[in-house]
Amino acid sequence: TDANVLILGETGTGKSLIARYVHEKSHKSRGPFITINCSAIPEQLLEAELFGYEGGSFTGAEKSGRAGLLEIAGGGTLFLDEVGDLALRLQPKILQVIQEKCFRRVGGRETKRIDCRIISASNRDLFEMARKGLFREDLLYRLNVMELKIPPLRSRKGDIVHFVDHYSRIFGKKYRTSHSFS
């Protein structure tokens, strides 16, 4: 399915690993998996990163313009990490992309169609944020078609041995040492 997925959980619970896994097990797996951390990029730059821009649309813009991550994710998945930090001003634009499957680059007139699944993640209580007017409720429900709540590792102590084994194999191969603890 192309249904949007919202992954909720504390910092460090593996939300990005789950997002990649969902992508890899979907029919979008042949397409790219593009990640953007909504909390790590200033609002004005985030808009240009997501939607791209036409040449000369703002000071410092490349003359030829640039494709945004929505275009680059075509045929694959766009992962909006820390979506709870997405500026209110950008939320209607993301909502429009989800509803209409199209957008315009910053400074552009041409409408571009997209074919990508959106997976988003947050460690914040988006429902409480929506209740307080800090996150658009309509966007929340469009992102939350399928919800995955990831419990913290302290509640999944049995998983620790699997993580240790997994990473010991990875680093064992890298450093050519014994790589299994099980």
Side-chain angles (χ1 to χ4, degrees), residues 115-135:
D115 173 30
C116 72
R117 169 193 234 167
I118 296 179
I119 299 177
S120 51
S122 183
N123 62 359
R124 300 174 73 183
D125 185 342
L126 298 179
F127 298 95
E128 180 65 16
M129 290 177 66
R131 191 181 68 71
K132 291 180 176 178
L134 302 172
F135 197 88

Side-chain angles (χ1 to χ4, degrees), residues 4 6 31 35 59 61 74-75 82 88 109 116 124-125 133 161 170:
N4 295 329
L6 176 61
T35 299
T59 302
E82 301 303 342
L88 273 172
R109 293 185 178 174
C116 72
R124 300 174 73 183
D125 185 342
V161 71
I170 289 172

Side-chain angles (χ1 to χ4, degrees), residues 27-103:
H27 70 279
K28 297 282 189 186
S29 62
R30 292 180 190 242
F33 179 80
I34 305 296
T35 299
I36 187 162
N37 186 321
C38 298
S39 67
I41 301 174
E43 178 182 338
Q44 291 77 12
L45 184 55
L46 183 60
E47 182 177 13
E49 286 291 314
L50 284 170
F51 298 97
Y53 57 85
E54 295 299 327
S57 58
F58 56 87
T59 302
E62 293 178 13
K63 290 181 181 179
S64 60
R66 179 186 278 179
L69 296 179
L70 285 163
E71 284 179 74
I72 295 168
T77 300
L78 177 64
F79 176 46
L80 300 174
D81 198 8
E82 301 303 342
V83 72
D85 293 328
L86 188 64
L88 273 172
R89 186 183 72 77
L90 290 178
Q91 291 179 24
K93 292 183 175 201
I94 298 294
L95 180 63
Q96 182 179 18
V97 166
I98 292 170
Q99 291 178 165
E100 299 176 16
K101 299 287 186 193
C102 63
F103 69 96

